[in-house]
Amino acid sequence: MPPGSPCLLWLLVVTYSVVPAAQPLAAGDLEEEQDETPLPAVPCDYDRCRHLQVPCRELQKASPTACLCPGLSSASQPPNPPRLGEVRVEAEVGRAVVHWCAPYSPVHQYWLLLWEGGGAPQKGSPLNSTVRRAELNGLKPGGAYIVCVVAANAAGESSVPRAGVEGLDGAGGPTFGPCGRLSVPPRPLTLLHAAVGVGSALALISGAALVWHFCLRDRWGCPHRGRASQAGL
Ligand SMILES: *[C@@H]1O[C@H](CO)[C@@H](O)[C@H](O)[C@H]1NC(C)=O
């Protein structure tokens, strides 16, 4: 062996022992880092469309474990418009139940605006920030309305697309904004009248059929009876 070979061997041994040793060390460092800073990856139990939903910031404060809230627009800006959800019309009682979803903004209160034809809208009473559902009462049978949800905070109120309100007449299907159309079917009494009408017509027809039937039986019956009596004689 040449005299330099133990030195080279030593170098090789050192190189190979350092490389495997470095890997567990690096892994250990990573584990330590993860233990030190646990990330709150769980979203809070917050649904912006749920009625009587406690604001997410309050859920976060009350929660024993950390959870994530959706980002909100600045509190120094008026809120973004809420999104109108299901509008369920109860025509018999002239009522509609309106649902909506909160915007991703700080909100202090909501209210509804109701247009009947042209002119100024009726403004509903203010509702607190947990509310996502409200009733509209006194709707007329056969009436057509436009309803909008407004959100407000200290900086102002969410916008209502005034041009959009007029433009809603052309738009069909689901809306993604704060407004929607609302049409109340004609009074069920009208339907009742129609049913009574159809019923009377049916009664008249069956009456006429009965008269016709008896009339025919009389016409056919009389000669028969006559013939029978003749045969009997
Ligand atoms: C918000 O309003 C709803 C419905 O009127 C009510 O049930 C609820 O207690 C109110 N919440 C707060 C925090 O005022």
Side-chain angles (χ1 to χ4, degrees), residues 51-55 58 126-133:
H51 185 50
L52 303 181
Q53 171 69 67
V54 173
E58 283 174 39
L127 306 159
N128 70 45
S129 67
T130 69
V131 176
R132 302 286 186 274
R133 184 176 74 205

Short mmCIF file of all heavy atoms in Angstrom, two decimals, residues 51-55 58 126-133, ligand 1:
data_model
loop_
_atom_site.label_atom_id
_atom_site.label_comp_id
_atom_site.label_asym_id
_atom_site.label_seq_id
_atom_site.Cartn_x
_atom_site.Cartn_y
_atom_site.Cartn_z
N HIS A 51 -78.84 31.22 9.85
CA HIS A 51 -79.61 32.17 10.65
C HIS A 51 -79.10 32.16 12.09
O HIS A 51 -78.78 31.10 12.62
CB HIS A 51 -81.09 31.80 10.59
CG HIS A 51 -82.00 32.78 11.28
ND1 HIS A 51 -81.93 34.14 11.04
CD2 HIS A 51 -82.97 32.60 12.19
CE1 HIS A 51 -82.85 34.74 11.79
NE2 HIS A 51 -83.48 33.83 12.50
N LEU A 52 -79.05 33.31 12.71
CA LEU A 52 -78.57 33.52 14.08
C LEU A 52 -77.11 33.03 14.25
O LEU A 52 -76.75 32.47 15.27
CB LEU A 52 -79.50 32.86 15.11
CG LEU A 52 -80.96 33.33 15.07
CD1 LEU A 52 -81.79 32.63 16.13
CD2 LEU A 52 -81.06 34.84 15.26
N GLN A 53 -76.31 33.26 13.22
CA GLN A 53 -74.89 32.90 13.25
C GLN A 53 -74.11 33.95 14.04
O GLN A 53 -74.15 35.14 13.70
CB GLN A 53 -74.36 32.80 11.81
CG GLN A 53 -72.85 32.64 11.71
CD GLN A 53 -72.37 31.29 12.22
OE1 GLN A 53 -72.65 30.27 11.63
NE2 GLN A 53 -71.66 31.30 13.34
N VAL A 54 -73.43 33.48 15.08
CA VAL A 54 -72.57 34.38 15.87
C VAL A 54 -71.40 34.80 14.97
O VAL A 54 -70.86 33.97 14.24
CB VAL A 54 -72.08 33.64 17.13
CG1 VAL A 54 -71.05 34.45 17.90
CG2 VAL A 54 -73.25 33.27 18.03
N PRO A 55 -71.00 36.08 14.99
CA PRO A 55 -69.88 36.51 14.15
C PRO A 55 -68.62 35.67 14.41
O PRO A 55 -68.37 35.27 15.55
CB PRO A 55 -69.65 37.97 14.57
CG PRO A 55 -70.96 38.42 15.10
CD PRO A 55 -71.60 37.21 15.73
N GLU A 58 -66.18 36.44 17.22
CA GLU A 58 -66.63 36.07 18.56
C GLU A 58 -66.45 34.58 18.79
O GLU A 58 -66.11 34.15 19.89
CB GLU A 58 -68.10 36.48 18.76
CG GLU A 58 -68.22 37.97 19.02
CD GLU A 58 -69.65 38.46 19.07
OE1 GLU A 58 -70.52 37.74 19.62
OE2 GLU A 58 -69.91 39.56 18.55
N PRO A 126 -84.72 47.40 11.27
CA PRO A 126 -83.34 46.92 11.34
C PRO A 126 -83.23 45.59 12.09
O PRO A 126 -83.97 45.35 13.07
CB PRO A 126 -82.60 48.02 12.10
CG PRO A 126 -83.62 48.97 12.58
CD PRO A 126 -84.94 48.64 12.01
N LEU A 127 -82.34 44.75 11.61
CA LEU A 127 -82.13 43.41 12.18
C LEU A 127 -80.67 43.30 12.59
O LEU A 127 -79.80 43.84 11.90
CB LEU A 127 -82.45 42.35 11.11
CG LEU A 127 -83.83 42.48 10.46
CD1 LEU A 127 -83.86 41.77 9.12
CD2 LEU A 127 -84.90 41.93 11.38
N ASN A 128 -80.40 42.62 13.69
CA ASN A 128 -79.00 42.56 14.16
C ASN A 128 -78.14 41.66 13.25
O ASN A 128 -78.66 40.94 12.39
CB ASN A 128 -78.93 42.16 15.64
CG ASN A 128 -79.31 40.73 15.89
OD1 ASN A 128 -78.87 39.83 15.18
ND2 ASN A 128 -80.13 40.50 16.92
N SER A 129 -76.84 41.70 13.46
CA SER A 129 -75.89 41.09 12.51
C SER A 129 -75.94 39.57 12.49
O SER A 129 -75.34 38.96 11.60
CB SER A 129 -74.47 41.54 12.86
OG SER A 129 -74.10 40.99 14.11
N THR A 130 -76.65 38.92 13.44
CA THR A 130 -76.72 37.46 13.43
C THR A 130 -77.86 36.97 12.52
O THR A 130 -77.89 35.79 12.18
CB THR A 130 -76.95 36.89 14.85
OG1 THR A 130 -78.27 37.24 15.28
CG2 THR A 130 -75.95 37.43 15.85
N VAL A 131 -78.76 37.86 12.16
CA VAL A 131 -79.99 37.48 11.46
C VAL A 131 -79.69 37.23 9.97
O VAL A 131 -78.94 37.98 9.35
CB VAL A 131 -81.07 38.58 11.65
CG1 VAL A 131 -82.31 38.28 10.85
CG2 VAL A 131 -81.41 38.72 13.12
N ARG A 132 -80.28 36.16 9.42
CA ARG A 132 -80.13 35.85 7.99
C ARG A 132 -81.48 35.56 7.35
O ARG A 132 -81.54 35.02 6.24
CB ARG A 132 -79.24 34.61 7.78
CG ARG A 132 -77.86 34.70 8.36
CD ARG A 132 -76.95 35.63 7.57
NE ARG A 132 -75.60 35.58 8.09
CZ ARG A 132 -75.17 36.32 9.09
NH1 ARG A 132 -75.97 37.20 9.67
NH2 ARG A 132 -73.93 36.22 9.54
N ARG A 133 -82.57 35.86 8.05
CA ARG A 133 -83.90 35.49 7.56
C ARG A 133 -84.89 36.51 8.07
O ARG A 133 -84.79 36.95 9.22
CB ARG A 133 -84.23 34.11 8.16
CG ARG A 133 -85.53 33.51 7.69
CD ARG A 133 -85.70 32.13 8.26
NE ARG A 133 -86.05 32.15 9.68
CZ ARG A 133 -85.81 31.17 10.54
NH1 ARG A 133 -85.19 30.08 10.15
NH2 ARG A 133 -86.17 31.29 11.79
C1 LIG B 1 -80.69 39.21 17.07
O1 LIG B 1 -82.02 39.16 16.66
C2 LIG B 1 -82.60 37.89 16.81
C3 LIG B 1 -84.00 37.92 16.18
O2 LIG B 1 -84.71 39.05 16.55
C4 LIG B 1 -82.64 37.50 18.28
O3 LIG B 1 -83.20 36.23 18.42
C5 LIG B 1 -81.23 37.51 18.81
O4 LIG B 1 -81.24 37.26 20.17
C6 LIG B 1 -80.55 38.84 18.53
N1 LIG B 1 -79.16 38.71 18.88
C7 LIG B 1 -78.49 39.68 19.50
C8 LIG B 1 -77.06 39.40 19.76
O5 LIG B 1 -79.02 40.73 19.81
#
